[in-house]
Amino acid sequence: MFEYLKRLYHKFGSPRYFYDLTGKMLPWLVALSVLLLIPGLIYGLGFAPPEKYQGNSYRVIYIHVPAASIAMAGYVMMAVAGVIVLVWRMKMAEMVAKSVAPIGASFAFICLVTGSIWGKPTWGTWWVWDARLTSMLILLFLYLGVMALNAAIENAQSAARATAVLSIVGAVNLPIIKYSVEWWNTLHQPASIRMTSSAIDPEMLYTLLTCIAGFYCLFGALVILSTRCEILSREQRSSWVKKLVGVS
């Protein structure tokens, strides 16, 4: 078992193997994104029943909740990749972490914007310095910090180590986002979906889960596309890349 995991680890550490494997995965992820997001968003935004207290304003949940989940999951990916970079110096981990940063930042931004749109009719204001909102804003700044470090440091390996440290240290913000509504008295409502139960109507729940799955497929496709571009850029002098692009 250990030998198998070791071989698998070395395979995924190979840019060529990653490029070839993800090339086969990409069409499936794109297809799943389309198949899940189109009906999920159309039904959620247009046909799902209105919420008892919030009416139709709650419909932003079908974008807001997936965006928040992906923003946090993306940062977890960067933190894990950061550990791999610092401990095992894996080049693929460097490239994945770099690729995730702008995508995760985009979803964090979408989460904040949709949260403000939802908050205006619910709280009567676009923004409050609520614990959940503030910690999510900090997450966006952490993403931007990682991107800024990558842009500021010319040497790819040095940039990867610097961003790895920031990603790992910044991960302390994730449990604050997750449990802020339980630790402090905040305006933000508690989680509607838990591991053992759900506080929302089944019709709304299944639509929301469809949107979450679709957005995760989209996130995976975007990360793969970005990482494949990074591989071609970093490995442009490799013989397999020259052969792939038709350069002798």
Side-chain angles (χ1 to χ4, degrees), residues 26 29 215-225:
L26 191 57
L29 283 172
F215 271 108
Y216 265 96
C217 289
L218 176 62
F219 172 70
L222 292 173
V223 170
I224 285 174
L225 279 170

Side-chain angles (χ1 to χ4, degrees), residues 200-224:
I200 62 177
D201 181 84
E203 189 174 355
M204 299 176 184
L205 174 63
Y206 298 143
T207 305
L208 179 57
L209 291 176
T210 299
C211 290
I212 291 173
F215 271 108
Y216 265 96
C217 289
L218 176 62
F219 172 70
L222 292 173
V223 170
I224 285 174

Side-chain angles (χ1 to χ4, degrees), residues 122-123 128-135 176-191:
T122 304
W123 302 333
V128 292
W129 292 102
D130 178 272
R132 171 67 62 84
L133 274 66
T134 304
S135 53
I176 296 175
I177 298 174
K178 174 70 175 174
Y179 297 107
S180 56
V181 294
E182 299 175 17
W183 291 345
W184 295 287
N185 182 23
T186 70
L187 286 175
H188 198 286
Q189 67 187 56

Side-chain angles (χ1 to χ4, degrees), residues 27-41 210-211 213-214 217:
W28 291 99
L29 283 172
V30 172
L32 281 172
S33 300
V34 172
L35 290 173
L36 292 168
L37 283 177
I38 290 180
L41 289 175
T210 299
C211 290
C217 289

Side-chain angles (χ1 to χ4, degrees), residues 13 53 75 109 121 145 155 190-192 240:
Y53 300 105
Y75 203 88
F109 180 75
N155 183 275
S192 299
W240 70 272

Side-chain angles (χ1 to χ4, degrees), residues 13-16 19 85 89-99 150 153-161 163 226-242 245:
S14 164
R16 182 172 185 177
Y19 191 91
V85 168
R89 313 287 187 182
M90 182 188 281
K91 188 189 297 185
M92 272 310 311
E94 298 177 9
M95 291 187 271
V96 169
K98 183 178 180 179
S99 299
N150 273 319
I153 303 175
E154 293 186 7
N155 183 275
Q157 291 183 336
S158 298
R161 288 193 288 271
T163 55
S226 181
T227 305
R228 283 163 65 86
C229 290
E230 184 67 19
I231 288 172
L232 293 179
S233 176
R234 293 270 294 264
E235 300 292 306
Q236 58 184 297
R237 296 183 180 179
S238 301
S239 58
W240 70 272
V241 173
K242 290 181 179 179
V245 300

